[in-house]
Amino acid sequence: MTEAWLKHMPVVAILRGVTPDEVVAVARTLHDAGIRAIEVPLNSPEPLRSIERLVQTFGDECLVGAGTVLSPDKVDAVRAVGGQLIVSPNVDVSVIARAVSLDMVSMPGFSTGTEAFAAIGAGARYLKLFPASSHAPGHVKALKAVLPADVAVYAVGGVTAANLQPWVDAGVTGFGSGGDLYKPGVDLGQMADRAAGLVAAVRAALKLA
């Protein structure tokens, strides 16, 4: 399924700080709430082990990968444990090209039109406006007027169930959620409620079936 999961529910859960011992339980809670894409940032404890456990547990039920991917060798390391998603905070064309060459989903972070088109030129078809909280929906609306129609823009950083509608109205088609969903030590019941609320808000805003 790979990127088909992003069309099913265009939300990437960012599990920064998650450990291998808890990652399956956390991901199961998110999966039960309807989220189908999970990112383990590489500055988390033993991230590759966590990604491998997620791949082994969920198989074809979820798009799993890494965040904070800063070099092509890290792309290779994620692919070696079965990851299919490469998320970065920046536009590094070597990282994007490597991910694309391995048939992985590349989602680089961008801010400007120059960065967006550099990422697209390297093969990215998902762009992460990061941090979204530093911008306004109007920034996306202006960029969408010139970006290719088949390129999806995700808003990441500061976007919640309560404020996502203006971003959708501006042309955003997906979201990333980190600390608002998961932080080390989070209560799984509370996380389940927040995840369900986010999924419901995204479905309503994007008019998903």
Side-chain angles (χ1 to χ4, degrees), residues 2 5 31 35-38 58-64:
T2 59
W5 289 122
H31 185 276
I35 290 175
R36 295 294 184 270
I38 298 174
F58 292 96
D60 294 330
E61 298 178 58
C62 199
L63 176 63
V64 176

Side-chain angles (χ1 to χ4, degrees), residues 9 11 29-35 161 181 188-204:
M9 173 46 57
V11 171
T29 302
L30 295 170
H31 185 276
D32 288 347
I35 290 175
L181 275 183
L188 292 184
Q190 293 178 352
M191 187 182 71
D193 290 342
R194 290 197 293 268
L198 178 60
V199 166
V202 170
R203 286 194 186 283

Side-chain angles (χ1 to χ4, degrees), residues 164-165 199-208:
L164 62 79
Q165 186 65 59
V199 166
V202 170
R203 286 194 186 283
L206 291 173
K207 297 179 173 57
L208 300 177

Side-chain angles (χ1 to χ4, degrees), residues 14 18 23 38 44 61 67 76 85 96 103 131-132 137 162 174 179 203 208:
I14 305 163
V18 73
V23 70
I38 298 174
S44 302
E61 298 178 58
D76 292 340
L85 173 65
I96 298 167
D103 293 324
R203 286 194 186 283
L208 300 177

Side-chain angles (χ1 to χ4, degrees), residues 71-99:
S71 61
D73 64 299
K74 297 300 183 184
V75 176
D76 292 340
V78 174
R79 186 67 184 88
V81 295
Q84 290 286 344
L85 173 65
I86 295 295
V87 183
S88 302
N90 63 328
V91 173
D92 185 321
V93 296
S94 66
V95 170
I96 298 167
R98 185 60 178 163

Side-chain angles (χ1 to χ4, degrees), residues 79-201:
R79 186 67 184 88
V81 295
Q84 290 286 344
L85 173 65
I86 295 295
V87 183
S88 302
N90 63 328
V91 173
D92 185 321
V93 296
S94 66
V95 170
I96 298 167
R98 185 60 178 163
V100 171
S101 75
L102 295 172
D103 293 324
M104 302 171 80
V105 177
S106 175
M107 190 179 289
F110 83 103
S111 177
T112 67
T114 298
E115 291 172 335
F117 279 101
I120 292 167
R125 286 299 175 266
Y126 292 87
L127 302 179
K128 178 181 81 169
L129 179 66
F130 177 78
S133 58
S134 298
H135 301 278
H139 183 70
V140 174
K141 186 175 182 179
L143 287 170
K144 287 289 290 183
V146 296
L147 293 177
D150 66 338
V151 172
V153 175
Y154 277 49
V156 182
V159 182
T160 67
N163 67 7
L164 62 79
Q165 186 65 59
W167 292 97
V168 171
D169 294 341
V172 165
T173 54
F175 302 91
S177 184
D180 201 56
L181 275 183
Y182 171 84
K183 292 179 181 177
V186 68
D187 177 85
L188 292 184
Q190 293 178 352
M191 187 182 71
D193 290 342
R194 290 197 293 268
L198 178 60
V199 166

